[in-house]
Amino acid sequence: MELPQDADLLQAIKLEVSQAVVYSESSSKALDLRKLLSMPLLQSVYAEALRLHVGILITWKSTEPVTIAGCTFPSATVFQAPIQVSHLKEDICGETSMCAGRNVATAEVWLTAAMLVSKFSMKFVEWAKPNGTLSDRPVMDDTKYANAVASPPDREMRVKWQRI
């Protein structure tokens, strides 16, 4: 949802993706995943989209007594907080664990995004409310889905797609 809103950013992403295109012996195009994953702008856009639009509760168990806002909790206390806390207060979360499937999921997202920007032109048209009427503001995450991993948008973004 971020790229069609910014034509310059979309064009810069297309340029980065084009640098990851490789040709096989039969001259068919493919994407080099290692090259794609090393593209700095694509990395930044991906990280920012996750930071802005993914919300889950992170859970951890203390290994020693913890004091938060003047309250002391014993060792082995289980804590939960929105993942946004880890973006803003790294000292609170401390050590983190990683999802075992994160590399596969990341590759799928990056390859899908790269294929879309390399095969289609996208142009933002307008915002629309769920009832179809025009909206005067951009999309925001639907707050009814807070901490439900990825929040759907609260309205539509109409985009003109054209195969290139």
Side-chain angles (χ1 to χ4, degrees), residues 16 19-22 32-40 110:
E16 274 199 349
Q19 295 170 27
V21 173
V22 293
D32 181 331
L33 181 60
R34 287 179 199 242
K35 263 189 190 175
L36 197 61
L37 293 172
S38 72
M39 300 294 174
W110 283 51

Side-chain angles (χ1 to χ4, degrees), residues 45-56:
V45 169
Y46 176 74
E48 188 67 358
L50 289 178
R51 187 182 75 81
L52 291 173
H53 303 294
V54 173
I56 59 172

Side-chain angles (χ1 to χ4, degrees), residues 74-108:
S75 177
T77 299
V78 175
F79 295 95
Q80 285 191 323
I83 196 160
Q84 289 83 351
V85 170
S86 69
H87 299 295
L88 304 172
K89 295 280 198 178
E90 191 174 308
D91 58 315
I92 289 176
C93 293
E95 208 174 296
T96 60
S97 59
M98 295 288 184
C99 169
R102 74 187 181 285
N103 293 328
V104 173
T106 298
E108 289 291 322

Side-chain angles (χ1 to χ4, degrees), residues 81 114 147:
N147 294 317

Side-chain angles (χ1 to χ4, degrees), residues 89-149:
K89 295 280 198 178
E90 191 174 308
D91 58 315
I92 289 176
C93 293
E95 208 174 296
T96 60
S97 59
M98 295 288 184
C99 169
R102 74 187 181 285
N103 293 328
V104 173
T106 298
E108 289 291 322
V109 169
W110 283 51
L111 287 169
T112 300
M115 285 189 283
L116 287 173
V117 300
S118 65
K119 296 190 178 288
F120 293 92
S121 67
M122 296 170 246
K123 184 175 181 186
F124 170 77
V125 176
E126 61 195 5
W127 300 109
K129 296 177 184 173
N131 66 8
T133 61
L134 293 183
S135 172
D136 60 346
R137 71 162 175 83
V139 67
M140 295 183 350
D141 290 344
D142 191 332
T143 56
K144 293 184 297 221
Y145 295 89
N147 294 317
V149 183

